[in-house]
Amino acid sequence: MRLTDARLQLVFRQCLAVIFDLAVAGRFEGIDRRLTDTLQQQHADVLFGEGGLLAGHAGGYPVAIGRFDYARIWAHLLRCIMLFSHHIMPNRILENPPMTAVRLASLNAALPTLRLLTDPANLEHYGRDWTRRWTPAPLAIALPASVDEVQAVVRWAYAEGVAVVPSGGRTGLSGGAVAAKGELVISLERMNKVLGFDAVDRTLTVQAGVPLQLAQETAREHGLQYPVDFAARGSCSIGGNIATNAGGIRVVRYGNTREWIAGLKLVTGTGELLDVGRALVKNSSGYDLRHLAIASEGTLGIIVEATLKLTDPPPPSNVMLLALPSFDALMQVFAVFRARLQLQAFEFLTDVALKHVLAHGAQPPFAEMHPYYVVTEFASDEANESEALAAFEQCMEQGLVSDGVISASDTQAAQLWRLREGITESLASYVPYKNDVSVRISAMPAFLQTTQALLGKEYPQFEVVWFGHIGDGNLHINILKPPAMAQADFVADCERVTKLLAQVLEAHGGSISAEHGIGLVKKPYLECTRSSEEIALMRGIKAVLDPKGILNPGKVFD
């Protein structure tokens, strides 16, 4: 054995003994202990002192002052273990320590009050979203309770080169919140407070972890509304909505999330806090970084706070369910109703989708099944009801509608909406392969015709469930796996067809992701939606705000 090895064994054993002794003695006693033992002082000098074995590796000697600095001692000791176990003493004194243990110890030392979860159940729960296509394998789950803690975690991750995955309600469908490669998940669920309401500006300021439903309810308590809405309102978070520019069922009337963000606070990849937008109605002072952050999927920064615009509450409304005889009639019915009414929503679903919702307890709306259905909502004043009935009669006369029903109460309206909003939940057990696509409304008829033919040809053996926000050009296509088919074979076949679908979208000027984001699932098809020049600019923007590439790496693009 070389002399150096012997010295290192002695030093490491002594240092570890000091650490364990302090742990047993307790934090408060340990804080006041000093390095009075001459041998301990010599060993520290050997490691960290001028000319020491780790001089230049540990960033300086942390115990020259009298008191123990726990965070730095732990960090330096861990670097010792990593350096010597990998390069000087492999498989002799210490086994190669797992990177997980080393990094967790470093994080605990740097942020001792941070709440961390490391048990397998939580790693699985927080490490995935609704895609269920990747095995979650995060380093740990950090649950900060304040903006300062988020900044501190990101600064640690930046210094240590640890990738982080921001996490909200994890209701996404593109793998944007998946942590499968040892990333640190930063969950914003503890940052779930409503911070303030401004009656003059008509804004609501919330932390990023506030559920959409809570924001909606708070707005209603003040006699206003936050109009963004979709089926996952109870579990999705405002931060996640902003990060994906979520749309939903009322985009035809109110637009996407982007239109309702007056300002937000964003922690960049270096831990800096940006306050952008600031709820100003007019502000032409340079670039609007607020809109750059929206739909960035956590790759440019972690949204920690948002100021939401509010508007007048909606008037009482009626819901109408229409039965259609053919796919071709869909856009024609939309044109008739849009010409007569200010639509709040215009959604469609197929008989296949309805079959799954009925199997989950919904009530059948008609005595017989029809191939296609529309759920539409509009103001329920006398003039609108008259126009709605006139539109219905016109469509019946033209053979575009086979049957219909209109709600006479809020309970009936909720029952009709369940037929549309219950689809995703009714399909969840199948873990479907999902396409979330969009084209301009004017391009929808031709796109629908081409896509229907494509999927009919390429998926003869699969059950395909169509539904979507047809009033804003957004279509959801869910492909269900046959029970006997292997998951890997199923996904491979679906990805083969998605490449063909992406080509159709490119030809019609559409998008491979309408509202779910790119994440991991849509990444291979980004070039069918964005030019190479655009993607290059996106990479450049990310390099500025996230110079080490630690924010949600591998999402959107590599």
Side-chain angles (χ1 to χ4, degrees):
M1 180 182 293
R2 298 194 309 273
L3 176 62
T4 301
D5 289 343
R7 291 179 68 197
L8 287 170
Q9 289 189 51
L10 179 63
V11 168
F12 271 113
R13 286 172 178 167
Q14 184 68 22
C15 286
L16 288 171
V18 170
I19 293 295
F20 294 146
D21 181 46
L22 286 173
V24 171
R27 177 185 297 268
F28 296 103
E29 179 183 348
I31 285 176
D32 290 324
R33 291 188 59 176
R34 299 174 182 274
L35 288 174
T36 56
D37 188 301
T38 304
L39 186 60
Q40 290 181 16
Q41 187 70 52
Q42 291 174 347
H43 290 163
D45 288 335
V46 168
L47 283 175
F48 302 115
E50 184 177 354
L53 295 173
L54 288 185
H57 291 289
Y61 172 29
V63 292
I65 60 174
R67 295 177 183 273
F68 262 122
D69 183 332
Y70 285 103
R72 296 186 67 197
I73 282 287
W74 266 113
H76 288 310
L77 182 58
L78 291 165
R79 290 190 184 100
C80 294
I81 295 170
M82 289 176 63
L83 177 64
F84 287 103
S85 64
H86 283 288
H87 298 294
I88 299 177
M89 300 185 297
N91 302 318
R92 282 199 280 163
I93 296 175
L94 298 169
E95 294 181 2
N96 290 342
M99 187 59 69
T100 296
V102 171
R103 284 177 165 170
L104 285 179
S106 172
L107 179 56
N108 273 311
L111 298 168
T113 62
L114 177 68
R115 183 176 176 187
L116 280 176
L117 303 176
T118 57
D119 59 285
N122 278 315
L123 294 181
E124 180 178 6
H125 175 68
Y126 288 93
R128 65 183 184 181
D129 60 10
W130 280 7
T131 53
R132 301 297 195 268
R133 283 175 53 186
W134 288 268
T135 300
L139 169 70
I141 315 302
L143 293 111
S146 66
V147 173
D148 288 343
E149 277 200 319
V150 175
Q151 288 184 268
V153 173
V154 174
R155 285 170 181 154
W156 172 85
Y158 178 79
E160 298 293 328
V162 174
V164 300
V165 174
S167 177
R170 297 176 304 285
T171 57
L173 296 165
S174 292
V178 168
K181 295 184 178 180
E183 304 97 332
L184 175 67
V185 172
I186 302 180
S187 170
L188 283 301
E189 70 176 28
R190 295 179 68 203
M191 296 177 61
N192 56 9
K193 297 181 179 62
V194 175
L195 301 176
F197 167 71
D198 192 311
V200 176
D201 290 327
R202 300 179 115 191
T203 59
L204 187 69
T205 301
V206 301
Q207 291 182 310
V210 164
L212 171 60
Q213 186 170 335
L214 177 58
Q216 294 172 330
E217 292 171 350
T218 305
R220 282 196 290 270
E221 290 172 3
H222 293 286
L224 298 169
Q225 72 158 328
Y226 178 64
V228 177
D229 191 30
F230 27 83
R233 63 184 69 84
S235 52
C236 67
S237 69
I238 291 295
N241 296 170
I242 297 170
T244 56
N245 189 29
I249 60 179
R250 304 193 189 280
V251 172
V252 67
R253 172 68 178 88
Y254 294 107
N256 293 298
T257 296
R258 182 184 301 280
E259 280 72 43
W260 298 94
I261 305 303
L264 56 83
K265 291 183 180 179
L266 181 81
V267 175
T268 70
T270 59
E272 297 178 25
L273 181 66
L274 301 181
D275 185 357
V276 295
R278 302 180 184 178
L280 296 172
V281 176
K282 288 187 173 182
N283 182 6
S284 352
S285 57
Y287 306 137
D288 194 338
L289 300 180
R290 164 188 47 166
H291 287 296
L292 193 62
I294 297 171
S296 64
E297 301 186 46
T299 63
L300 300 182
I302 300 175
I303 296 163
V304 291
E305 186 179 304
T307 300
L308 312 177
K309 299 177 186 177
L310 305 180
T311 190
D312 293 324
S317 60
N318 277 337
V319 178
M320 181 180 284
L321 178 71
L322 306 173
L324 280 59
S326 70
F327 205 50
D328 294 337
L330 186 58
M331 296 310 296
Q332 297 178 66
V333 172
F334 174 65
V336 171
F337 273 78
R338 187 171 66 166
R340 289 180 174 271
L341 297 162
Q342 185 176 63
L343 299 174
Q344 305 286 327
F346 194 90
E347 305 281 304
F348 112 100
L349 60 148
T350 65
D351 56 343
V352 178
L354 181 61
K355 177 190 71 174
H356 285 281
V357 178
L358 295 179
H360 275 67
Q363 298 300 310
F366 303 113
E368 59 184 39
M369 292 290 287
H370 300 267
Y372 302 98
Y373 299 89
V374 162
V375 179
T376 186
E377 183 172 310
F378 50 88
S380 63
D381 57 76
E382 186 176 341
N384 275 292
E385 289 180 9
S386 177
E387 287 295 331
L389 291 173
F392 174 73
E393 291 172 358
Q394 179 182 340
C395 290
M396 287 285 287
E397 291 171 0
Q398 296 177 6
L400 302 175
V401 169
S402 304
D403 205 345
V405 61
I406 188 169
S407 63
S409 66
D410 290 343
T411 300
Q412 289 182 5
Q415 289 174 344
L416 294 179
W417 265 118
R418 183 184 178 186
L419 302 178
R420 163 60 185 89
E421 292 193 316
I423 297 173
T424 297
E425 181 181 354
S426 72
L427 301 178
S429 62
Y430 295 90
V431 193
Y433 185 97
K434 293 176 176 286
N435 293 120
D436 160 48
V437 301
S438 65
V439 295
R440 298 184 311 277
I441 296 172
S442 61
M444 185 61 81
F447 173 74
L448 287 175
Q449 184 177 23
T450 304
T451 302
Q452 186 182 36
L454 171 69
L455 300 185
K457 174 185 176 184
E458 300 296 336
Y459 286 140
Q461 76 280 32
F462 295 159
E463 186 175 30
V464 180
V465 182
W466 294 64
F467 65 97
H469 322 293
I470 208 73
D472 55 49
N474 180 193
L475 190 66
H476 296 300
I477 306 167
N478 291 249
I479 302 94
L480 309 188
K481 183 182 75 67
M485 190 173 191
Q487 179 69 18
D489 294 338
F490 171 68
V491 171
D493 201 23
C494 291
E495 289 182 341
R496 174 187 64 81
V497 178
T498 298
K499 291 179 182 178
L500 302 176
L501 178 61
Q503 295 171 10
V504 175
L505 285 162
E506 187 174 15
H508 288 86
S511 173
I512 193 66
S513 179
E515 59 182 359
H516 294 165
I518 294 296
L520 294 171
V521 175
K522 312 294 177 60
K523 185 168 61 173
Y525 318 108
L526 181 62
E527 291 183 355
C528 294
T529 297
R530 297 300 189 100
S531 68
S532 57
E533 291 81 7
E534 285 180 290
I535 295 173
L537 286 171
M538 290 181 193
R539 294 181 192 276
I541 293 168
K542 179 173 174 62
V544 172
L545 292 172
D546 181 24
K548 286 190 177 180
I550 65 169
L551 294 177
N552 222 5
K555 314 298 170 50
V556 184
F557 44 69
D558 290 318

